[in-house]
Amino acid sequence: MGRTVEGDGGIVIRGRRLFRCSKDDFLPEESFKSWGNYARALKDTPFRLKDRLLTRSLDITELVEVKARSHNDMKKKLNWWDLMWFGIGAVIGAGIFVLTGLQTKEVAGPAVVLSYAVAAVSAMLSVFCYTEFAVEIPVAGGSFAYLRVELGDFMAFIAAGNILLECLIGGAAVARAWTSYFATLCNQKPADFRIVVSSLPKDYNQLDPIAVVVLMVTCALAVASIKGSSRFNYVASIVHVLVILFIIVTGLSKADPNNYTPFAPFGTRGIFKASAVLFFAYGGFDGIATMAEETKNPGRDIPIGLVGSMAIIALLYCLLAVTLCLMQPYQQVDENAPFSVAFEAVGMGWAKYIVAAGALKGMTSVLLVGAVSQGRYLTHIARTHMMPPWLAHVHERTGTPINASVVLAAATAVIALFTDLDILSDLLSISTLFIFMLVSLALLVRRYYATGVSTHADRLKLVACLVLILGSSVATSVYWGLSDDGWIGYAVALPFWLLGNTGLWLFVPQARFPKVWGVPLVPWLPSASIGINIFLIGSIDKASFVRFAVWTVIILIYYLFVGLRASFDIAKESESHQNQNDATTQLEIKDQPAGVLVP
């Protein structure tokens, strides 16, 4: 029997350290060495906050220095084939198999296919922006790293908080949907395997222990091996795509065109309102960008993997939506397991087991890819010390971020145990749309502003154009959310959006061009992504905005009392080391005889 020892630095099994765990792994910065240091750091809050607001990271810093803080490198084992199937596995899951039912029945009707198309346009525009960043800055941090480089530390942290919210809620939503389809496969009602606790508040009183078990199993697979996770994922995803094709072909054989009348019973507002929620169905592709650090040839593999998988997914989603609404009147669509119940309604009860099995395969892939990507997000955030650096540790043997993956899986399991899917999906959509909007904005900043290249006049013109683009997008979204009808608001706002883009296009020279792969039609496509994401945010219900605001306040409190101190200290320590290295290099050059090069 192996012996387990607990002592300084963590847990050791059979002579191997399983977890590193000491005080310095969590709060090693100077501000936390003593209460006196912390008090002095609190007094310096205005200065530190200003510094973090105005300071931007560099590509090379993220690629070399920040990455080195994990002590061990992630292993470069992925190619475009892996990324393609990771993309399909990450995206096709609870969104199409669960939310389609709810949004068809209560929000959009048969026009839900247009809702999926609108969400697909927004997602594809965001995919373009993510792809350029992932090729230029291939690190595990994904959107967090991109925003640190272009919008600065503070905005990156706000995004980081929402990335973590997206990770937690997305995983919990899919895990609860997994239980619903598992119940259907066992010939039970979707909610039969949940435990009702009447003493808990509504929407939080249906406990889901199966979801917890599924999350723990997928986390274990994710931390074992990135290549092993990839093999499991593309086998499961191929089976899943075959099931989807079965649903489309078999379902259309039972199509009744009369079910498409009325096509849009809830009007245009219903279509866009459903789009905002169904954007959740396209969520997950951003996690593929976090795998850039483990990709063999980012310049070739990431564009093929990301753009290719999203094109396939958008087509499949629209075909599935059409099939569902042709099989059954929208009023009769089941909210929890729409496709399984639809086959039962048309006399093909046996097919519901194939559908349920395929859905389970798909949602298992979503959870697996989510566990892989989420751990990498948190790892890079922890590398900057905005979260405890213990979470940045990469395991020497597996090359995977075990600490971050396990912590996120445990937190996701707690949420999945209690919280209803409807609450999760609305809150997830607003968080996801907000992050995608920031990434598109960051891409415009990257293209049109570079320190030492852009003039002061060009910077002022860039700011003015961005204000016009953002202001007109927000105005359009607010007008949509507050008015039931009318067009005057759009007629006023749209010209300002066009003016901002025309100003960028004609009067602000691009300061940086992509080295390998770039978004076409800049600034128009990134600006369209900003506008659509903000517009869809305006379609989300008030309760979700309240929850989003509460979460934002929570992460700001954490930032002001912990994250700001830690990230400022590590940044200044890094600057000090760099200055020392530069000084040493200058001394070596000075001491060398003329004509001798210093290596």
Side-chain angles (χ1 to χ4, degrees), residues 23 39 51 62 70 129 150 159 214 237 239 244-245 260 292 320 333 353 375 467 551 569 574:
K23 190 262 181 185
D51 179 85
E62 300 297 313
S70 287
C129 297
E150 300 305 332
V214 173
S237 296
V239 174
I244 288 174
L245 294 176
Y260 246 55
L320 282 168
V333 170
Y353 298 108
V467 168
W551 174 251
D569 284 354
S574 175

Side-chain angles (χ1 to χ4, degrees), residues 192-320:
D192 280 358
F193 288 164
R194 296 195 177 102
I195 302 168
V196 179
V197 180
S198 56
S199 59
L200 292 174
K202 184 179 179 296
D203 296 329
Y204 301 93
N205 63 346
Q206 294 190 35
L207 305 188
D208 196 336
I210 293 177
V212 174
V213 173
V214 173
L215 284 166
M216 293 298 103
V217 172
T218 51
C219 175
L221 287 171
V223 301
S225 164
I226 182 63
K227 195 62 180 179
S229 297
S230 175
R231 292 192 186 103
F232 178 89
N233 171 72
Y234 64 66
V235 170
S237 296
I238 289 171
V239 174
H240 190 205
V241 169
L242 291 175
V243 171
I244 288 174
L245 294 176
F246 165 82
I247 294 172
I248 294 169
V249 174
T250 310
L252 289 177
S253 71
K254 297 291 184 178
D256 181 358
N258 292 326
N259 291 335
Y260 246 55
T261 304
F263 178 67
F266 301 98
T268 305
R269 184 167 295 276
I271 294 171
F272 283 103
K273 186 175 180 182
S275 292
V277 176
L278 291 174
F279 194 85
F280 165 71
Y282 292 98
F285 73 81
D286 53 319
I288 309 307
T290 68
M291 301 176 195
E293 192 170 315
E294 295 155 281
T295 302
K296 295 176 183 177
N297 185 353
R300 181 199 65 187
D301 297 336
I302 292 173
I304 296 174
L306 268 175
V307 178
S309 61
M310 183 53 64
I312 294 170
I313 290 162
L315 177 61
L316 291 177
Y317 276 5
C318 291
L319 289 174
L320 282 168

Side-chain angles (χ1 to χ4, degrees), residues 138-219:
V139 293
S143 52
F144 170 74
Y146 314 151
L147 296 177
R148 247 173 66 88
V149 170
E150 300 305 332
L151 301 184
D153 252 26
F154 179 75
M155 287 307 302
F157 179 81
I158 297 299
N162 284 282
I163 289 167
L164 295 179
L165 181 66
E166 180 187 351
C167 294
L168 297 174
I169 291 178
V174 175
R176 286 184 71 91
W178 197 100
T179 302
S180 294
Y181 266 88
F182 181 65
T184 303
L185 189 62
C186 297
N187 210 26
Q188 302 292 319
K189 293 180 180 178
D192 280 358
F193 288 164
R194 296 195 177 102
I195 302 168
V196 179
V197 180
S198 56
S199 59
L200 292 174
K202 184 179 179 296
D203 296 329
Y204 301 93
N205 63 346
Q206 294 190 35
L207 305 188
D208 196 336
I210 293 177
V212 174
V213 173
V214 173
L215 284 166
M216 293 298 103
V217 172
T218 51
C219 175

Side-chain angles (χ1 to χ4, degrees), residues 323-351:
T323 302
L324 177 65
C325 295
L326 285 173
M327 290 176 68
Q328 206 177 14
Y330 77 90
Q331 302 94 328
Q332 298 174 20
V333 170
D334 186 79
E335 296 177 9
N336 292 301
F339 290 95
S340 295
V341 175
F343 274 105
E344 199 164 16
V346 296
M348 299 178 66
W350 57 270

Side-chain angles (χ1 to χ4, degrees), residues 33-50:
K33 295 294 185 183
S34 68
W35 285 107
N37 286 6
Y38 186 69
R40 286 189 289 273
L42 281 179
K43 289 176 64 177
D44 286 342
T45 294
F47 170 75
R48 292 182 177 222
L49 185 58
K50 180 182 178 182

